[in-house]
């Protein structure tokens, strides 16, 4: 009996030792969110970022996008990223003109129906609430300044509202609200990604490479040799009619040494977006910030989509180490309390 008790205790000790030497279960990775910023043609860089992250096993659970960020993020969530990429390869400086259905009689220079129809061809009747990941497109209610998170309804409508740059595209009416570009209030929507459940937020800022923004010119005035304002030509008859037509054309398209209406609006929007982005990222920084070097790609350089994708790929590859460290740190942090019990 003495030896039996001894061997029984020994066997129990062996089992206890085996239990203590078994490897602990791997910590669960944190919920990953992507916050994709606005930037018009520069937004094709998001394709390169997303594909690089996926290639290295970093799969988002939450996607929130503003403007072109909403378009790329929504296409990925709807399994249409390859379709968007293939379409971008067909864009040339001339083919882009076919999407510019100019309408000076509405509330935007471009009606936007041609572009919206092309987008809906791939997305069809897909609804935001049916997507396999949590998704939101950020828009702005223009008459109140409310930040609107579009989390239900037709995906194509949500994306169109999110990219409706005021003055360029007309507002979009959804749920009784007139909505415009979300970059007016939240250009890189980190806060929305966190609110939708992301524990780790990877943000992509497309406009960080715009050097010279926000500096102060402490003293400025006219130059002595500055040309006097042009005198208004007096004309009549046919000459007056053609003069008015040429004047309108110059106002819209601009001329040498003087920007047109779209250029003025976009550059002003750039300044505003840059200031808002800096403030919001300072107040609610992401866990990882990816900043593609896109300074040489203009807002309307859609024919350079493949260049933007390549730049996005490079930027994501540079950020992979930081993403891995953030995933590891937040995985341990999440598993800490459970392992201590």
């Amino acid at each position: 009996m003495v030896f039996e008790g001894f061997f029984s205790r020994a066997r129990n000790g062996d089992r206890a030792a085996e239990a203590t030497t078994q490897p602990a279960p791997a910590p669960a990775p944190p919920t990953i969110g992507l916050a994709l910023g606005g930037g018009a043609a520069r937004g094709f860089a998001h394709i390169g970022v997303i594909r690089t992250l996926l290639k290295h096993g970093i799969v988002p659970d939450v996607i929130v996008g503003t403007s072109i960020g909403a378009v790329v993020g929504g296409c990925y969530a709807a399994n249409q990223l390859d379709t968007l990429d293939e379409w971008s390869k067909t864009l040339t400086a001339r083919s882009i003109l076919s999407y510019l259905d100019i309408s000076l009689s509405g509330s935007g220079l471009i009606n936007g129906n041609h572009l919206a129809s092309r987008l809906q061809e791939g997305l069809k009747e897909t609804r935001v609430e049916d997507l396999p990941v949590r998704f939101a497109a950020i828009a702005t209610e223009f008459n109140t300044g409310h930040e609107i998170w579009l989390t239900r309804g037709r995906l194509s409508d949500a994306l169109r509202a999110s990219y409706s740059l005021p003055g360029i595209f007309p507002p979009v009416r959804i749920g009784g609200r007139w909505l415009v570009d979300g970059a007016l209030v939240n250009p890189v929507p980190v806060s929305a990604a966190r609110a939708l459940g992301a524990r780790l937020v990877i943000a992509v800022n497309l406009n960080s490479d715009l050097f010279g923004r926000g500096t102060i010119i402490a003293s400025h005035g006219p130059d002595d040799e500055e040309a006097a304002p042009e005198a208004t030509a007096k004309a009549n008859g046919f000459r007056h009619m053609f003069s008015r037509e040429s004047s309108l054309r110059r106002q819209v398209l601009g001329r040498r040494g003087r920007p047109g209406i779209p250029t003025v609006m976009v550059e002003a929007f750039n300044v505003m977006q840059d200031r808002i982005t800096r403030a919001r990222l300072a107040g609610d920084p992401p866990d990882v910030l990816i900043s593609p070097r896109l300074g040489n790609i203009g807002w309307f350089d859609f024919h350079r989509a493949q260049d933007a994708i390549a730049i996005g790929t490079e930027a994501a590859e540079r950020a992979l180490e930081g993403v891995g460290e953030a995933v590891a740190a937040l995985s341990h942090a999440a598993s800490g309390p459970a392992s201590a019990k």
Side-chain angles (χ1 to χ4, degrees):
M1 296 292 292
V2 174
F3 289 106
E4 184 177 344
F6 173 78
F7 287 122
S8 176
R9 288 193 298 273
R11 285 193 296 271
N12 291 336
D14 291 341
R15 293 193 188 99
E18 290 175 3
T20 57
T21 57
Q22 288 180 351
T31 302
I32 296 175
L34 285 183
L36 305 178
R42 299 184 185 118
F44 285 112
H46 289 315
I47 296 178
V49 170
I50 291 174
R51 283 179 170 166
T52 300
L53 295 177
L54 295 175
K55 180 180 176 181
H56 290 84
I58 302 163
V59 181
D61 306 286
V62 177
I63 299 177
V64 182
T66 294
S67 196
I68 188 66
V71 173
V72 177
C75 286
Y76 164 73
N79 197 30
Q80 291 295 315
L81 195 63
D82 289 343
T83 303
L84 181 64
D85 185 11
E86 289 302 316
W87 174 68
S88 75
K89 293 176 182 177
T90 68
L91 296 177
T92 64
R94 175 170 293 184
S95 68
I96 292 169
L97 295 176
S98 65
Y99 294 99
L100 303 183
D101 44 351
I102 296 176
S103 173
L104 298 179
S105 61
S107 50
L109 289 176
I110 300 172
N111 188 286
N113 288 334
H114 292 175
L115 183 59
S117 297
R118 182 65 183 83
L119 188 63
Q120 192 173 347
E121 283 180 20
L123 300 177
K124 298 182 172 57
E125 296 300 314
T126 302
R127 298 183 66 82
V128 176
E129 60 268 33
D130 295 333
L131 294 172
V133 298
R134 278 163 281 178
F135 177 81
I138 306 300
T140 305
E141 187 176 21
F142 81 92
N143 57 331
T144 65
H146 293 333
E147 180 177 331
I148 308 297
W149 298 358
L150 295 166
T151 57
R152 62 182 188 272
R154 283 207 315 176
L155 178 59
S156 58
D157 292 339
L159 303 187
R160 185 175 184 179
S162 187
Y163 70 68
S164 288
L165 182 66
I168 302 295
F169 294 106
V172 177
R173 187 174 177 85
I174 297 179
R177 301 178 187 271
W178 286 104
L179 305 179
V180 294
D181 200 306
L184 286 169
V185 289
N186 201 347
V188 185
V190 174
S191 56
R194 293 199 195 284
L196 290 180
R199 180 69 181 85
L200 186 160
V201 177
I202 302 169
V204 185
N205 180 14
L206 301 175
N207 301 304
S208 63
D209 203 27
L210 300 181
F211 298 114
R213 296 284 182 197
T215 58
I216 296 175
I217 308 300
S219 178
H220 184 68
D223 297 326
D224 293 338
E225 66 275 11
E226 194 167 14
E230 297 180 34
T232 303
K234 295 182 179 180
N236 51 42
F238 285 110
R239 182 180 176 186
H240 178 62
M241 180 179 66
F242 289 127
S243 176
R244 290 185 59 186
E245 181 181 347
S246 299
S247 176
L248 178 61
R249 189 173 182 181
R250 286 196 301 269
Q251 287 177 3
V252 174
L253 301 178
R255 58 189 176 188
R256 182 177 300 177
R258 177 172 294 183
I261 293 174
T263 301
V264 171
M265 294 176 64
V266 167
E267 287 302 320
F269 194 79
N270 258 334
V271 173
M272 177 202 67
Q273 182 176 252
D274 176 66
R275 294 298 182 98
I276 296 173
T277 300
R278 291 191 204 182
R280 297 209 61 154
L281 290 181
D284 189 9
D287 299 286
V288 178
L289 179 61
I290 299 177
S291 301
R293 308 299 296 270
L294 295 159
N296 65 334
I297 295 181
W299 265 48
F300 296 125
D301 289 344
F302 290 95
H303 58 287
R304 299 188 60 193
Q306 295 307 304
D307 293 337
I309 292 173
I311 293 171
T313 299
E314 293 173 3
E317 288 173 346
R318 290 195 301 269
L320 283 174
E321 183 177 354
V323 173
E325 291 174 353
V327 170
L330 291 175
S331 296
H332 291 313
S335 62
S339 60
K341 291 181 179 180

